[in-house]
Amino acid sequence: MAFFSKLGSKLKSLFTSRVIDDEFFDNLEDTLIEGDLGARLTDEVISELKNASRKDKSLDAEKLQVMMKEILSKYLVPSTWSVEKGKENLVLVLGVNGVGKTTTIAKMAKMYSKEGYKVLLAAADTFRAAAVEQIDIHAERLGIRIVKQKTGSDPGAVIFDAITSARSHGEDLIICDSAGRMHNKENLMKELKKIDKVIKAKGIDEKNYKKFLVIDATTGQNGVSQALLFNEALPLDGIILTKYDSLSKGGALLQIGKMLSLPIVFICTGEGYDDIAPFDRDEFLNALVGLK
Ligand SMILES: Nc1nc2c(ncn2[C@@H]2O[C@H](COP(=O)(O)OP(=O)(O)OP(=O)(O)O)[C@@H](O)[C@H]2O)c(=O)[nH]1
Ligand SMILES: [Mg+2]
């Protein structure tokens, strides 16, 4: 999968064109801040690299670049989640409006059904007009069963029905859409907690129930606040990064990793159904620090 990290291309030219001096570190610092790594993580990277280069004068730019990759790698944990065949698995997809929840759900549905799983979609974004229709169109195109009610109905009830329905039809994976916006943030968080209660009350095994937050790679710093907010309402199990194909920087993912140590499940790089892949840390970091 090809990544186009803006941060990566800046770092690549910085690491190849310069001698290691104060100006280099100043430039590096500016680039990392601009790439959404945030002040704390940037400080950590700069001071570790400065220390290393002070201790060992023979460290060239390339070695420092590799070192930077190592520093950052501890904040990106690949997910070990997998769907357990023959069991009830449920994924609740969360995120603010427009990040790519519904598109990602369609991608996951296609991917897992291709792998031989029986997938059921739950249209639990009942808040936004046309949201039900949107996921329904994907279900139709992909030939995947969907449980839905009309706009304005209770999202918890939709998921309740979906679980009941999956039990009688034998689907192994239920993927639930959710609203990205309500009248206000408090309402949204309250609603999500209610949904979570319904899922637990239905007796889905906790180890097969996952709450994944979708983060848009182009939003930068905002993605960090979103992760903190959702995680406070409902403890998250992982992050899905979308839109890592346009002018994204990707640094926010590292900040989220540093603050919440959440595993990264998938990276999405386009609007097509197949533009999704499990998170590959090495590949991601090479692109991010400009090593490839
Ligand atoms: N370039 C690119 N676009 C994407 C990606 N994922 C989603 N999109 C686009 O982003 C827009 C919003 O996607 P949706 O899936 O509707 O987002 P959502 O989170 O469900 O939005 P709401 O239902 O309004 O909360 C659409 O135009 C998608 O085609 C991606 O990985 N790359
Ligand atoms: Mg949607």
Side-chain angles (χ1 to χ4, degrees):
M1 179 173 280
F3 293 137
F4 304 100
S5 170
K6 203 165 133 190
L7 175 60
S9 59
K10 282 196 177 165
L11 288 174
K12 191 175 189 148
S13 62
L14 183 64
F15 277 104
T16 46
S17 68
R18 294 204 51 83
V19 285
I20 308 304
D21 54 11
D22 285 347
E23 201 188 332
F24 167 82
F25 282 114
D26 287 345
N27 280 336
L28 181 60
E29 187 170 352
D30 291 345
T31 309
L32 295 182
I33 290 284
E34 219 176 281
D36 291 321
L37 260 79
R40 277 167 54 196
L41 191 52
T42 299
D43 278 354
E44 181 183 329
V45 171
I46 299 290
S47 68
E48 280 199 38
L49 292 185
K50 269 188 179 167
N51 275 339
S53 97
R54 223 177 274 136
K55 277 190 203 134
D56 181 356
K57 298 278 176 226
S58 74
L59 281 181
D60 57 12
E62 202 188 327
K63 286 197 183 114
L64 287 177
Q65 197 176 8
V66 171
M67 202 176 272
M68 182 164 120
K69 179 182 161 186
E70 278 159 15
I71 298 167
L72 297 179
S73 82
K74 63 176 178 281
Y75 298 121
L76 294 177
V77 190
S79 161
T80 55
W81 172 71
S82 62
V83 181
E84 205 178 337
K85 210 161 199 150
K87 289 273 161 63
E88 294 178 324
N89 299 268
L90 187 145
V91 173
L92 177 59
V93 178
L94 304 162
V96 302
N97 55 309
V99 289
K101 292 178 297 298
T102 308
T103 311
T104 302
I105 288 167
K107 291 172 181 173
M108 286 175 70
K110 180 175 178 200
M111 184 171 67
Y112 283 104
S113 60
K114 245 170 102 183
E115 285 177 23
Y117 295 97
K118 283 181 82 180
V119 180
L120 176 69
L121 300 182
D125 179 358
T126 56
F127 183 78
R128 185 171 63 78
V132 175
E133 207 183 315
Q134 204 179 335
I135 191 167
D136 197 31
I137 292 170
H138 286 300
E140 174 110 352
R141 267 190 215 143
L142 295 166
I144 283 166
R145 218 164 66 79
I146 184 166
V147 167
K148 60 186 176 183
Q149 289 177 17
K150 59 177 189 304
T151 301
S153 54
D154 174 18
V158 175
I159 296 181
F160 185 99
D161 284 355
I163 297 170
T164 310
S165 180
R167 281 177 184 161
S168 66
H169 284 79
E171 275 107 355
D172 2 63
L173 174 62
I174 308 171
I175 312 176
C176 308
D177 202 1
S178 68
R181 197 179 66 86
M182 284 199 169
H183 298 297
N184 57 51
K185 222 162 40 191
E186 290 68 34
N187 272 0
L188 176 60
M189 296 304 147
K190 239 190 352 217
E191 205 57 57
L192 296 177
K193 284 182 183 162
K194 268 166 62 186
I195 290 176
D196 181 60
K197 263 198 188 146
V198 169
I199 296 168
K200 286 180 176 150
K202 274 296 235 180
I204 301 269
D205 191 337
E206 293 241 1
K207 78 177 197 316
N208 295 326
Y209 163 35
K210 298 291 168 196
K211 287 152 279 167
F212 295 147
L213 181 72
V214 177
I215 297 280
D216 174 340
T218 63
T219 57
Q221 203 61 36
N222 255 331
V224 182
S225 334
Q226 288 159 21
L228 292 170
L229 177 76
F230 277 84
N231 190 61
E232 208 182 291
L234 281 188
L236 299 169
D237 300 297
I239 298 285
I240 296 172
L241 189 72
T242 56
K243 311 192 193 182
Y244 201 60
D245 48 289
S246 38
L247 290 170
S248 60
K249 295 175 277 190
L253 197 58
L254 285 149
Q255 282 195 72
I256 295 170
K258 185 172 165 73
M259 285 189 235
L260 298 172
S261 357
L262 285 169
I264 299 137
V265 194
F266 296 115
I267 301 273
C268 298
T269 50
E271 298 184 86
Y273 286 131
D274 298 321
D275 297 328
I276 184 169
F279 176 67
D280 181 328
R281 173 162 60 186
D282 202 53
E283 191 186 17
F284 183 87
L285 278 169
N286 281 339
L288 194 84
V289 305
L291 268 170
K292 288 269 158 69

